[in-house]
Structure formats: C-alpha cells, structure tokens
C-alpha cells in the first residue's frame, strides 16, 4: 500500500475488527462491510487510463447515463450547446472535493481532458482510448475553463450530442495531482466518488474505503471488498456458501444460472436491459467471408431465437438492428432476425463451399461470463448444416489472433461506454476505424462513412434518428457484424442487501447499496 491509501486501509481495517469477516449472513447488515465478487478485476492499475472501473465509484464522470442510456448529470449539473453544436459548456457541481481534500474546479476538468488527448490512443481493460479522442470529443479545437465552475469545449465541426459521448469513461475526472507526466497514475487514484481504493491485489481482490470528503450522502458500507472469481460456477458456489454477499458486473451470473438462483429466497436477482450485445464479427479481408453471399448464408443459418431463448435462457432477446433497443428510437425495429437454412445452403452452393473449415473464434475470458462454448458449438453445427464446415478456436489473446487475421468469425459481446451510438459506428466500422483495419474486418463503405458522419453532426432529433436507421439498414445488408442477441445483465445479492441500481451500461452503483432486513 502507498501513502494515504495505506492509512485509510488501516483505519478501516481497525474499524472492521468490530465486524469480523464479510460474507456471513450478517455481513450485509450492521457491520459496515460488504463482500462482492465479479468475473473480472475491476482495478486495472496505474498504466490504465482510468485505473479503476466506474462501478467501483472511486471516480466520477462529468456525465453519466440512466437506464435508457440518456445522459444525466454527475459532476456536471447542466450543459448547453451553441453555434449549431460547435460549442458546448458544462456547469460543475459545487462543493465537490477530491478524496485528498482538494477542491474540484474547471481547471482540474480541463487537465483531465488534456491528459486523455495526450495519451490517446491507449488500451484499457475497460473502455479503450484506442480509437483516439475524436470518438469522444469530435474535432476538438479548444477546451478551457470559463471561471471556476464552467468548462467549454470548442469544436471545429458540430457534434449533435456531446453529453452523450462524454457520459462515463470519456469524462472521468480525477485530481491532476494523481497523474505523472507520462499520463500514468503517480500513485493511487484520487477521485470524487463515495469510495477510495484502499488495497488491491491484482487478479484477486480490491478493497474500497468510504471517502470522508464525498460530496453526497455517505455510503452505507464503510468497506467494500470485491473478489475476482472468473469461473461462473465458483462465483455461485461462493454466494451459496456465504463467502460473498453478491455478484456484480457483466456476466455476473451465467444465463443458465439465473432461474435457480432467483428461486432461492436467500437471494435477490436484479435483471435490467443493457447495452450489451452479442455480435458475430466477420473477417472480410479474406475468403470465405470476403464474399457477401457467404456472410448472408452464415446469418441465415443461425437461429437467433434458439440462442436467446435456450442458450441464453431467456436473459436475452434475438438480435436484429445493429443498435440495441436500449438506444430507444435510434434503433430500427423494422430489422428482425431471419432464420432460413434452405436459403443458406443455396447461397453456399452458388458461392462454392470453402476449401477449409471456417474458424469460429471465442475468448477464454468470456466463457466465464457467457455460455460461449455452447453457443460456438451451436454456430458450428448451424454452419455445417448450411454447407460451411467449421471449427471452434478458444484463445486468451483474441486481439492478437484477429490482428494476425487467423480467424473467420469472432463471437463476442460489446457494449458502449456512454449513450452515444456513434461510438459503435466510428470505433468499429468506419472505413478508417482502427478496429476495422487492424482486426481485418475489411469493411469499406463510402455510403456508411457518409451517413454515420452526417448522423453524428445532426442536431435535429428526428433527422438524426432517420440517418441512424438508414445506417442500420445498410449494415443489415452488408453484414460486417451481425447482432445475435441483446443481453440483459442479471446481478444478485443476498436478501440482506438492498439498494441495487444498475444502469444500461451495467454499472452497479456501490454507493447506493444498503443493509436490508
């Protein structure tokens, strides 16, 4: 431990002597401590752009999202645009202090934005800056402090919804003192949230302590321990054994586990729609899927209703439009899943059967969050019935595999860090998008680029909706990526824990957890 974090940790640990160990039936009651588990480490460390995931509530953004992906205030209480969307001004919440006791002001926010601009592109364990900061801020000309509590972004081109773009990770604010000149963290994170990071053992657990300088209501729990348990069955076993008080984060419960856990009156399962979508991504830079007929055949071969209803056990709905329904009217309800094995076989026959089996790539990490081993096997069987021989490859470093071009189709779940649909289009599918180019999607469409750019700048809500629906109809025809299913995100706590709130970006607000009778 380092510096102040060590002092806070020792203070909380001393107080914890009253509580004993967490995870007992009383752990979520009057002890001031709660122990949770997640499939992944929600702390990434000092080289990560954020250090911790937003879920830990160590830091706060200017803007966050609600359960319908709409931007709502966080550290910024209000915002306004001018000059047709080329100037945006955010008004900061008053009376906010960082966890080291120093005051939040507009200059601190500007320093955070400039740090992002300086270090991008950079990978993150959470939401990467690998697309560069234009995906967040548009073509930024200047960011400045207008007085103590107003921050202004001057853009060279209009951005229709800058608050939506900034929501979450792209507007993280921490004390400028927390950063080294390199952009790495100089020590522990120093945010404004209800908790501080008191202790962290990489890949094992993180310990949070209540922030004495928090501007809002003090959290009900003085200490939160988040254990890292990648194996889905081990997570549920820990819950049933009373070793943890709840399971959080994406994929906390496998779809097939939800019904049994929910039927046990010792637990409370909270399900909420999320922006998480299971996609099939094609390697369109080589045969066989450089042929659009075979991409169509692959789509028609897959029964998305069976995948959503059986393999995902009703915790998902069949995919259709590229944007999940949580995007509201921006999603296109007219695009629906089609299952036509006969037409799939006819397309393969016309295009020619591939000489070698197509490779279905999945990540070993995601098999602990979703039933991807079973889903990949169902995809393999469906492809083979359509005349596309296939094999499944499980890899730990899927990024390296994709960049080497050693795959044909990739099954994975993607979400958004905010409420802005442009993130998915600009980061994944624009012709010059790093993800598109480096991971061999091979998607090049001048029409798509033009429509996506127009939608990103369109300030009229109706016209913007129509442009995004045109974009999705184009993607439905071109099929660089296929949305298989829109995923709910079930999380669970014991009956002794209340206050579970989860937004569409599957962020559980730890600051709102409370003991429950």
């Amino acid at each position: 431990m380092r510096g102040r974090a060590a002092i806070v940790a020792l203070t909380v640990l001393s107080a914890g002597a009253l509580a004993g160990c967490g995870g007992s039936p009383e752990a979520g009651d009057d002890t001031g401590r709660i122990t949770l588990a997640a499939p992944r480490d929600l702390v990434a460390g000092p080289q990560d752009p954020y250090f911790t995931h937003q879920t830990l509530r160590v830091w706060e953004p200017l803007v966050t999202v609600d359960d319908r992906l709409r931007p709502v205030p966080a550290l910024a209480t209000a915002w306004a645009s001018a000059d047709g969307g080329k100037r945006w001004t955010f008004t900061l919440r008053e009376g906010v202090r960082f966890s080291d006791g120093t005051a939040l002001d507009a200059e601190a926010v500007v320093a955070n934005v400039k740090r992002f601009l300086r270090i991008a592109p950079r990978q993150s364990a959470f939401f990467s800056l690998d697309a560069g900061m234009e995906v967040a801020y548009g073509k930024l000309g200047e960011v400045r402090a207008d007085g103590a509590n107003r921050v202004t972004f001057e853009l060279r081109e209009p951005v229709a919804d800058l608050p939506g773009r900034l929501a979450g990770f792209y507007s993280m604010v921490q004390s400028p003192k927390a950063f080294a000149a390199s952009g790495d963290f100089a020590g522990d994170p120093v945010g404004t949230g209800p908790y501080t990071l008191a202790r962290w053992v990489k890949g094992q657990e993180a310990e949070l302590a209540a922030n004495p300088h928090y501007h809002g209501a003090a959290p009900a729990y003085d200490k939160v321990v988040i254990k890292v348990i990648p194996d889905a069955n081990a997570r549920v076993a820990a819950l049933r054994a009373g070793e943890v008080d709840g399971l959080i984060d994406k994929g906390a419960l496998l779809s097939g586990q939800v019904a049994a856990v929910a039927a046990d009156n010792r637990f409370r399962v909270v399900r909420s729609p999320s922006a998480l979508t299971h996609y099939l991504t094609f390697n369109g830079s080589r045969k066989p899927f450089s042929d659009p007929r075979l991409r169509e055949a692959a789509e028609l071969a897959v029964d998305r209703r069976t995948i959503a209803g059986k393999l995902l056990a009703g915790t998902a709905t069949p995919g259709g439009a590229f944007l999940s329904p949580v995007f509201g009217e921006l999603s296109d309800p007219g695009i629906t899943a089609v299952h036509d094995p006969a037409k799939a076989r006819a397309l393969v026959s016309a295009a020619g059967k591939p000489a070698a089996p197509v490779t279905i790539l999945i990540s070993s990490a995601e098999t602990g969050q979703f039933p991807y081993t079973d889903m990949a096997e169902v995809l393999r069987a469906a492809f083979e019935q359509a005349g596309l021989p296939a094999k499944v490859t499980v890899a730990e470093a899927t990024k390296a595999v994709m960049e080497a071009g050693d795959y044909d189709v990739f099954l994975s779940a993607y979400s958004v860090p905010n409420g802005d649909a442009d993130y998915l289009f600009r980061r994944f599918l624009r012709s010059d998008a790093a993800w598109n180019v480096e991971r061999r999607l091979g998607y090049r469409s001048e029409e798509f680029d033009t429509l996506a750019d127009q939608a990103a700048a369109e300030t009229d809500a109706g016209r913007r909706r129509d442009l995004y629906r045109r974009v999705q109809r184009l993607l439905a025809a071109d099929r660089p990526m296929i949305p298989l299913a829109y995923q709910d995100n079930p999380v669970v706590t014991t009956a002794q824990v209340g206050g579970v709130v989860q937004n569409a970006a599957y962020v559980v607000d730890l600051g709102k957890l409370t003991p429950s009778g």
Side-chain angles (χ1 to χ4, degrees), residues 87-405:
R87 181 186 304 114
W88 285 84
T89 300
F90 294 79
T91 302
L92 301 183
R93 189 178 301 276
E94 296 183 359
V96 177
R97 293 187 175 274
F98 292 107
S99 59
D100 63 1
T102 59
L104 168 73
D105 60 16
E107 291 290 356
V109 174
V110 170
N112 276 262
V113 173
K114 289 183 175 179
R115 169 183 173 261
F116 277 152
L117 293 168
R118 187 170 73 253
I119 68 174
R122 180 180 288 196
Q123 288 288 315
S124 169
F126 310 126
F127 282 105
S128 296
L129 302 178
D130 57 1
M133 295 314 298
E134 187 172 322
V135 74
Y137 307 130
K139 294 184 177 179
L140 181 63
E142 178 190 14
V143 58
R144 65 176 183 270
D146 286 334
N149 71 335
R150 288 163 61 90
V151 178
T152 296
F153 294 80
E154 296 279 0
L155 310 173
R156 293 192 294 273
E157 294 181 2
V159 169
D161 185 21
L162 189 62
R165 286 194 182 197
L166 294 184
F169 287 88
Y170 284 145
S171 65
M172 177 198 79
V173 178
Q174 296 203 38
S175 170
K177 296 177 183 178
F179 307 123
S182 65
D184 293 348
F185 283 82
D188 292 319
V190 182
T192 61
Y195 287 105
T196 63
L197 180 63
R199 184 175 63 87
W200 172 49
V201 181
K202 184 177 181 180
Q204 296 184 37
E205 68 178 35
E207 181 181 303
L208 308 177
N211 175 9
H213 299 290
Y214 182 52
H215 57 90
Y221 295 104
D222 296 326
K223 176 195 279 187
V224 179
V225 176
I226 311 286
K227 293 182 177 292
V228 183
I229 307 180
D231 183 80
N233 291 325
R235 286 195 300 276
V236 172
L239 179 72
R240 291 189 181 280
E243 296 169 7
V244 299
D245 302 295
L247 310 177
I248 62 167
D249 196 35
K250 70 171 182 176
L253 285 171
L254 286 184
S255 304
Q257 297 171 327
V258 172
V261 173
D264 190 328
N265 61 13
R266 293 178 297 166
F267 309 120
R268 292 174 176 161
V269 173
V270 174
R271 285 177 53 183
S272 55
S274 78
L276 201 67
T277 299
H278 303 280
Y279 288 98
L280 282 183
T281 300
F282 290 106
N283 180 349
S285 66
R286 71 175 191 183
K287 293 182 178 180
F289 291 124
S290 56
D291 188 328
R293 294 173 296 178
L294 294 182
R295 295 198 300 273
E296 182 180 2
E299 179 181 33
L300 294 172
V302 177
D303 185 351
R304 285 180 268 194
R305 288 178 175 80
T306 294
I307 288 174
K310 294 185 177 180
L311 293 179
L312 295 172
T315 66
T317 55
F322 193 86
L323 295 180
S324 163
V326 296
F327 279 95
E329 64 175 10
L330 295 185
S331 183
D332 190 340
I335 300 173
T336 57
V338 177
H339 179 221
D340 191 339
K343 186 176 180 181
R345 288 191 292 271
L347 285 166
V348 172
S349 178
K353 181 179 178 179
V358 299
T359 300
I360 302 170
L361 175 66
I362 59 174
S363 164
S364 58
E366 287 192 303
T367 60
Q369 300 171 352
F370 305 107
Y372 274 0
T373 302
D374 292 340
M375 287 174 64
E377 181 58 30
V378 166
L379 292 173
R380 185 198 63 76
F383 285 179
E384 292 198 344
Q385 289 175 6
L388 291 167
K391 62 180 181 180
V392 177
T393 298
V394 183
E396 182 177 353
T398 55
K399 178 178 183 289
V401 174
M402 295 178 78
E403 289 180 349

Side-chain angles (χ1 to χ4, degrees), residues 31-77:
T31 65
R33 169 191 171 118
I34 186 171
T35 301
L36 306 169
R40 58 177 173 166
D41 200 336
L42 295 175
V43 181
Q47 284 77 46
D48 190 87
Y50 316 103
F51 206 126
T52 68
H53 195 280
Q54 186 179 350
T55 290
L56 298 190
R57 298 289 273 121
V58 168
W59 55 265
E60 297 174 296
L62 287 179
V63 183
T64 189
V65 296
D66 64 10
D67 59 357
R68 295 174 59 188
L69 282 182
R70 296 172 299 190
V72 293
L75 289 179
T77 58

Side-chain angles (χ1 to χ4, degrees), residues 24-29 33-36 221 244-246 266-268 270 492-500 510 512-517:
S24 67
E26 293 80 27
D29 190 4
R33 169 191 171 118
I34 186 171
T35 301
L36 306 169
Y221 295 104
V244 299
D245 302 295
R266 293 178 297 166
F267 309 120
R268 292 174 176 161
V270 174
V492 59
T493 64
T494 67
Q496 282 72 46
V497 180
V500 178
L510 299 185
K512 293 184 178 178
L513 297 182
T514 59
S516 177

